[in-house]
Amino acid sequence: MEYSFQVHWGDTDAAGIVFYPNFYKWMDAASHHFFATIGHSTWRLFQEEKIGMPIVEAKCQFHSPLFFEDQVCVKSTIAELREKSFRIQHQFFRGEQLVAEGYEVRVWTKFGGDRPKAAPIPAELREKMQREAVTITREEGSW
């Protein structure tokens, strides 16, 4: 799944280089785009069903800086799918150049009672997510 945008002036520091927390903001935006594209708007899920997908872990590695007005494409895939959680992998490209890569671990969560509670990911959604899944082998192991 691809999510594209252009770097804005406010995303950069005084040297004109993208300030690193923006990569986490963009991973979050790419995840929301991913679910909207497969027909499960995260806003609608929360408004209508009180379902959210909070992040319990995130990591990003930077290979090359991004600058003001760079065109960026984030390629997102489901790297691991468990009963109540998943890891979504994001790769940031400027043209053909990989400039950063990271992931988020999210938990399917019901927000209806006294406190949030992890819940199984519905079968219909799991099937859609599995179609977008890839097998990723990393030296650092799994979460």
Side-chain angles (χ1 to χ4, degrees), residues 6-58:
Q6 183 176 28
V7 174
H8 297 164
W9 179 252
D11 298 327
T12 64
D13 60 17
I17 298 170
V18 167
F19 186 46
Y20 79 92
N22 287 301
F23 285 89
Y24 291 92
K25 173 182 77 172
W26 295 328
M27 285 194 299
D28 184 59
S31 290
H32 289 278
H33 175 76
F34 178 95
F35 282 94
T37 301
I38 64 171
H40 293 272
S41 160
T42 54
W43 176 249
R44 186 193 56 75
L45 282 169
F46 190 78
Q47 291 298 306
E48 296 176 7
E49 301 178 39
K50 298 297 181 221
I51 295 292
M53 293 175 260
I55 298 168
V56 296
E57 182 180 335

Side-chain angles (χ1 to χ4, degrees), residues 71-95:
Q71 294 291 328
V72 182
C73 178
V74 182
K75 295 181 181 179
S76 303
T77 55
I78 300 299
E80 191 166 351
L81 184 57
R82 296 183 177 181
E83 180 187 6
K84 299 178 183 179
S85 64
F86 61 94
R87 182 165 55 107
I88 185 166
Q89 178 84 21
H90 305 283
Q91 294 181 310
F92 293 80
F93 290 90
R94 177 182 46 227

Side-chain angles (χ1 to χ4, degrees), residues 57-115:
E57 182 180 335
K59 181 178 180 179
C60 192
Q61 293 179 306
F62 311 101
H63 305 299
S64 180
L66 287 173
F67 302 95
F68 175 56
E69 294 189 340
D70 277 349
Q71 294 291 328
V72 182
C73 178
V74 182
K75 295 181 181 179
S76 303
T77 55
I78 300 299
E80 191 166 351
L81 184 57
R82 296 183 177 181
E83 180 187 6
K84 299 178 183 179
S85 64
F86 61 94
R87 182 165 55 107
I88 185 166
Q89 178 84 21
H90 305 283
Q91 294 181 310
F92 293 80
F93 290 90
R94 177 182 46 227
E96 298 296 317
Q97 181 185 17
L98 177 66
V99 296
E101 56 190 326
Y103 67 86
E104 300 165 306
V105 175
R106 292 176 173 260
V107 177
W108 190 261
T109 306
K110 290 187 177 188
F111 289 88
D114 295 340
R115 52 189 297 204

